[in-house]
Amino acid sequence: MQTRRQFLNDTSRLAAATGFISFPGALNARITKPSDTINIALIGCRGMGFGDLQNALKVPGIKCIGLCDIDRNVLAQRKNDVIKLQGSEPIVYSDFRKMLDNKDIDAVIIGTPDHWHCLPFIAACEAGKEIYVEKPLANSLAECELMMRSARRHKRIVQVGQQQRSGPHFINAVKFIQDGKIGQVRKVNVWGNFNYGIGQPVVPDSEVPAGVDYDMWLGPAPKRNFNKNRFHSNWRMFWDYGGGLLTDWGVHLLDVALWAMDVKTMPLSVTATGGNFAFADHAHETFDTMSVSYQLKDLVINWEHTAGIQTGPYNRSYGLAFVGNNGTLVIDRNGWELIPEVDEGKYKTPAVPKSGGSESHELHMRNFIESVREKRDPVCTIEMGRLVAMYAHFGNIALKTNSRLVFDEQAFNFGDNSAANALIAPAYRTPWVLPKI
Ligand SMILES: NC(=O)c1ccc[n+]([C@@H]2O[C@H](COP(=O)([O-])OP(=O)(O)OC[C@H]3O[C@@H](n4cnc5c(N)ncnc54)[C@H](O)[C@@H]3O)[C@@H](O)[C@H]2O)c1
């Protein structure tokens, strides 16, 4: 059985054995006054990271001074985009370690694929930067833990990109539930059915595209030939880089369940069923079919996905249903509705009109910037990011090992379940190592 101390010692030993990657050292104790410009930089510029940067640049007093990517094509495009947006040129980098040496950078956005969140994040903590990191926090349980410890040790301000936490209709719905309006909630059903979860039609491996540093894209992940089905955007369906629909969408939606039900602890147990049953002509390793059940003290949270189809309960391809004794509240990014229980011809909940809703990326970024200015925790803390990412990984580990998981948070392991314990930390490819914290 691996104890918490062993887990810590193991990561240190790994670092010692393979040569510790030195990250920029001392904490940068920059004081950001409310009137100050915040200099921001982006690591991973293609997709969501750039969306986050665009939202940051809408806030007065924000300037982008750095862009980092391993794809020179993406970098050139995004440099032009930033010049158009703010009229001045950011410095471009191909290595995040070099970028983090720049003392003028106050905050970074991390928009790299999931396997590349942990190292830049910890390096940014050590360099004294504030951090907006995309979800899921990391691609493994161990990385989530290390990132939380690093952020708290270095007293960094961290927002995790679970933007529902800033969404007005999500906030209203959570208040409605927490005010007891649907009565006791014993079950939350959560689902996410998407076509993209089966990956792209299979194609053979090919040459690395010009301008791409593929070895740096792989980073700590195992060496593997290039295939566009595992590269930009499509990496989500391959275990070395992502965790499929459960970590991609599940993290957003399970986070709403944990938030509304005020869950701050590990589940008592986790079970999962499913597998890869369909679309063999599409490239994916992650499960296309999955049901996960999280047992809590007085609550069950269920996750469901069926990749390759886009219909779902309540005619919504994704969402949550909070099943209360007096009514069921159904919510997604477009709004929420109440389905009341009826007793002797009377509704057991107040009448509530169907609410609208919208994307909340912009508000979430604003909340981060305000938090940096006011030196406080944003709405989605590192602990919230860690907890829900771990819930998602539990589901995948339960199905991979075909076991009912019980996670011991103190020992940081699954007891004597050696198959599950083997999946707690990734084996980083030399010269990358899990930092010692
Ligand atoms: N909050 C949301 O709603 C939301 C939506 C989409 C994606 N995401 C998250 O955002 C992250 C990025 O997803 P995406 O869809 O934009 O992926 P993407 O593949 O489109 O973009 C990732 C970028 O990171 C770059 N990159 C890879 N390794 C790098 C490295 N070592 N240094 C610098 N750059 C590197 C890639 O070249 C690419 O430009 C993921 O964690 C994803 O889960 C969040």
Side-chain angles (χ1 to χ4, degrees):
M1 189 193 295
Q2 196 190 34
T3 64
R4 186 182 180 86
R5 178 167 298 172
Q6 272 165 345
F7 161 67
L8 296 177
N9 288 345
D10 287 349
T11 60
S12 338
R13 223 177 297 124
L14 194 61
T18 49
F20 186 65
I21 303 296
S22 69
F23 287 133
L27 176 67
N28 172 5
R30 171 181 297 278
I31 310 285
T32 311
K33 291 182 238 69
S35 57
D36 270 354
T37 296
I38 296 175
N39 287 332
I40 206 158
L42 170 63
I43 306 171
C45 303
R46 182 175 174 273
M48 195 63 246
F50 188 68
D52 294 330
L53 178 65
Q54 282 177 297
N55 285 329
L57 292 177
K58 289 178 191 162
V59 182
I62 302 297
K63 188 175 176 200
C64 173
I65 65 165
L67 293 175
C68 173
D69 208 287
I70 57 77
D71 184 337
R72 281 210 301 269
N73 313 297
V74 170
L75 212 43
Q77 170 71 49
R78 293 312 186 204
K79 181 176 146 184
N80 283 337
D81 293 338
V82 169
I83 293 170
K84 275 188 211 134
L85 284 170
Q86 68 177 21
S88 63
E89 196 174 311
I91 305 171
V92 293
Y93 301 87
S94 54
D95 189 323
F96 64 89
R97 292 167 294 185
K98 188 98 183 75
M99 174 193 259
L100 292 172
D101 282 339
N102 182 343
K103 297 274 182 285
D104 293 331
I105 296 171
D106 301 301
V108 292
I109 298 166
I110 299 179
T112 43
D114 304 353
H115 73 290
W116 250 132
H117 285 185
C118 180
L119 290 178
F121 181 96
I122 290 175
C125 288
E126 291 175 354
K129 315 300 185 196
E130 317 301 4
I131 308 168
Y132 187 107
V133 59
E134 267 308 337
K135 51 47 64 180
L137 187 61
N139 200 33
S140 71
L141 302 174
E143 291 170 308
C144 289
E145 176 71 11
L146 290 168
M147 290 164 80
M148 182 186 74
R149 281 193 227 152
S150 182
R152 288 304 176 196
R153 170 173 296 183
H154 294 284
K155 299 187 168 47
R156 298 334 310 163
I157 291 161
V158 174
Q159 176 88 299
V160 185
Q162 293 153 201
Q163 65 271 9
Q164 289 68 219
R165 294 256 180 184
S166 294
H169 80 282
F170 281 104
I171 293 168
N172 287 340
V174 167
K175 182 167 184 325
F176 194 83
I177 293 164
Q178 292 183 346
D179 284 349
K181 299 275 177 48
I182 59 171
Q184 183 191 356
V185 177
R186 285 170 285 155
K187 191 179 274 184
V188 188
N189 295 323
V190 193
W191 66 98
N193 295 332
F194 292 97
N195 284 342
Y196 80 86
I198 58 170
Q200 302 298 311
V202 171
V203 293
D205 293 347
S206 60
E207 289 296 307
V208 176
V212 170
D213 181 349
Y214 180 55
D215 192 64
M216 189 64 170
W217 187 91
L218 286 172
K223 186 125 190 103
R224 201 165 176 183
N225 288 341
F226 180 86
N227 191 303
K228 72 183 175 74
N229 282 343
R230 297 189 293 266
F231 191 48
H232 286 333
S233 182
N234 301 328
W235 48 262
R236 294 167 157 75
M237 270 56 75
F238 295 87
W239 295 119
D240 291 334
Y241 327 118
L245 287 182
L246 178 52
T247 57
D248 209 40
W249 262 91
V251 154
H252 280 304
L253 301 172
L254 290 169
D255 183 44
V256 178
L258 299 179
W259 170 27
M261 302 314 297
D262 199 24
V263 175
K264 297 195 173 74
T265 53
M266 296 292 152
L268 297 177
S269 67
V270 184
T271 50
T273 51
N276 266 324
F277 299 151
F279 299 102
D281 56 343
H282 279 61
H284 62 280
E285 294 172 351
T286 54
F287 302 118
D288 56 42
T289 310
M290 238 186 144
S291 304
V292 185
S293 195
Y294 300 93
Q295 172 78 54
L296 289 103
K297 193 162 143 275
D298 49 9
L299 175 74
V300 176
I301 301 175
N302 292 315
W303 165 261
E304 287 279 346
H305 76 240
T306 321
I309 64 168
Q310 303 215 114
T311 52
Y314 307 96
N315 212 15
R316 295 169 192 242
S317 55
Y318 70 92
L320 299 104
F322 291 89
V323 184
N325 285 351
N326 299 338
T328 293
L329 189 150
V330 181
I331 186 164
D332 64 21
R333 287 178 179 168
N334 299 313
W336 59 277
E337 64 186 298
L338 194 56
I339 302 163
E341 289 297 311
V342 180
D343 195 14
E344 294 181 352
K346 284 194 187 134
Y347 286 150
K348 293 173 84 174
T349 57
V352 177
K354 220 172 173 173
S355 98
S358 62
E359 264 294 353
S360 33
H361 282 288
E362 201 176 323
L363 291 168
H364 206 50
M365 179 55 76
R366 274 180 190 276
N367 174 262
F368 170 63
I369 291 165
E370 281 162 16
S371 305
V372 169
R373 293 204 156 112
E374 291 166 18
K375 303 209 165 300
R376 57 169 163 81
D377 271 343
V379 291
C380 192
T381 62
I382 185 80
E383 285 78 12
M384 296 167 189
R386 166 188 175 270
L387 187 68
V388 73
M390 290 181 71
Y391 267 66
H393 290 305
F394 289 150
N396 280 332
I397 294 172
L399 188 51
K400 280 180 178 179
T401 59
N402 195 20
S403 55
R404 176 178 169 273
L405 298 181
V406 177
F407 189 70
D408 179 337
E409 193 178 5
Q410 263 319 101
F412 212 83
N413 67 26
F414 297 101
D416 58 8
N417 185 337
S418 53
N421 287 340
L423 299 174
I424 290 173
Y428 272 18
R429 184 171 63 110
T430 308
W432 302 101
V433 290
L434 278 177
K436 176 187 169 189
I437 297 175

